[in-house]
Amino acid sequence: MESYSVKAILSVYDKSFTSGMNKALSTIENVVKRTNKAAGSVNKLTTSFKSTAAAIGVMQVASKAVDMLAGSLDGAISRYDTLNRFPKVLQQIGFSASDSKQSIKELSKGIQGLPTTLDDVAATTQRIATMTGDLKKATKTTLALNDAFLASGASTEDASRGLTQYIQMLSKGTVDLQSWRSLQETMGVALNDVAKAFGFAGASAQNDLYKALQDGSITFDQFNDKLIELDG
């Protein structure tokens, strides 16, 4: 919050300074027209004003560059910590070192070029792996879910809500209407693809898929596998 406050103050100061400077320059130009004797002094003063304005502009650009660099460093440090911490945590849970390292490698590769952070997918994978006992599938499920939310245009908040509902259904192996509605709102595009892959079509495809999951003709594990399969 402090950085935003500083930027706001600099912005107001810059606007006030620019307005004042323009008025001063206008007054100086009028003086020049009235007397040529002051021309030399006016030119120096005008140049001084412009140099000051340019200096402030350079300072603002430099400030933005520093902010961007700080953000990049914070992201890099966080990523480095996750790369090192994730395998250790999973090994403590009971997964092998090789599987843990392979998992974080796949996660890192799977989100390249995407707005998703490594921390987010690592946390999701850990939750699913702890619940299911299958780290490899947890990794693939996490990446498939992330792509499904992004492809469906979900916001960060919506994706978090949908993810919570999905993990709850995955843990129970069944679906309920409230959770299903959340998935329709947060990953509707992906649901359409999964429904089509199971042979459902038309406007009722998602509802038909829901009914099939409810009566057990399609298990949630099969649904999850199909989501992974379509992720490519």
Side-chain angles (χ1 to χ4, degrees):
M1 291 301 293
E2 291 181 358
S3 62
Y4 287 111
S5 299
V6 172
K7 290 180 180 178
I9 292 171
L10 288 175
S11 177
V12 172
Y13 175 79
D14 181 47
K15 290 179 181 177
S16 299
F17 179 84
T18 301
S19 177
M21 184 190 71
N22 288 335
K23 291 180 180 179
L25 289 176
S26 177
T27 300
I28 291 171
E29 289 174 355
N30 289 332
V31 174
V32 172
K33 293 178 182 179
R34 294 173 183 174
T35 174
N36 291 327
K37 293 181 180 181
S41 298
V42 169
N43 288 336
K44 290 182 181 179
L45 187 57
T46 303
T47 300
S48 177
F49 273 127
K50 291 181 178 180
S51 297
T52 302
I56 289 178
V58 171
M59 289 174 63
Q60 289 178 327
V61 171
S63 177
K64 291 179 180 179
V66 170
D67 289 343
M68 291 177 63
L69 179 60
S72 297
L73 287 174
D74 288 344
I77 292 171
S78 176
R79 185 180 181 85
Y80 178 80
D81 287 343
T82 303
L83 285 169
N84 286 275
R85 184 178 62 252
F86 180 81
K88 295 178 182 179
V89 172
L90 289 180
Q91 288 175 54
Q92 292 176 353
I93 295 174
F95 296 103
S96 69
S98 59
D99 286 346
S100 301
K101 292 178 180 178
Q102 181 62 30
S103 175
I104 196 65
K105 182 179 179 181
E106 289 181 16
L107 291 173
S108 180
K109 181 180 179 181
I111 62 171
Q112 284 184 3
L114 301 178
T116 310
T117 66
L118 187 59
D119 281 343
D120 288 341
V121 291
T124 300
T125 300
Q126 183 176 325
R127 289 173 63 187
I128 297 177
T130 302
M131 178 180 63
T132 63
D134 190 336
L135 178 56
K136 292 182 179 180
K137 191 170 183 179
T139 303
K140 295 182 183 299
T141 297
T142 297
L143 292 176
L145 284 172
N146 183 62
D147 291 342
F149 289 128
L150 291 177
S152 300
S155 65
T156 303
E157 293 77 12
D158 285 340
S160 177
R161 176 165 58 91
L163 178 63
T164 298
Q165 296 297 329
Y166 191 93
I167 291 179
Q168 287 179 356
M169 288 188 289
L170 186 62
S171 65
K172 295 184 296 184
T174 58
V175 300
D176 60 82
L177 187 57
Q178 180 180 352
S179 298
W180 188 255
R181 293 298 186 211
S182 294
L183 290 189
Q184 287 181 311
E185 294 170 1
T186 57
M187 51 184 284
V189 174
L191 280 185
N192 282 335
D193 291 339
V194 174
K196 290 178 181 178
F198 278 114
F200 302 110
S204 64
Q206 290 186 11
N207 290 331
D208 292 338
L209 176 58
Y210 171 70
K211 292 176 182 177
L213 287 166
Q214 270 206 318
D215 64 27
S217 56
I218 295 177
T219 67
F220 199 80
D221 281 340
Q222 290 174 320
F223 174 86
N224 191 68
D225 291 340
K226 188 64 69 175
L227 187 66
I228 294 174
E229 178 186 326
L230 294 174
D231 187 38

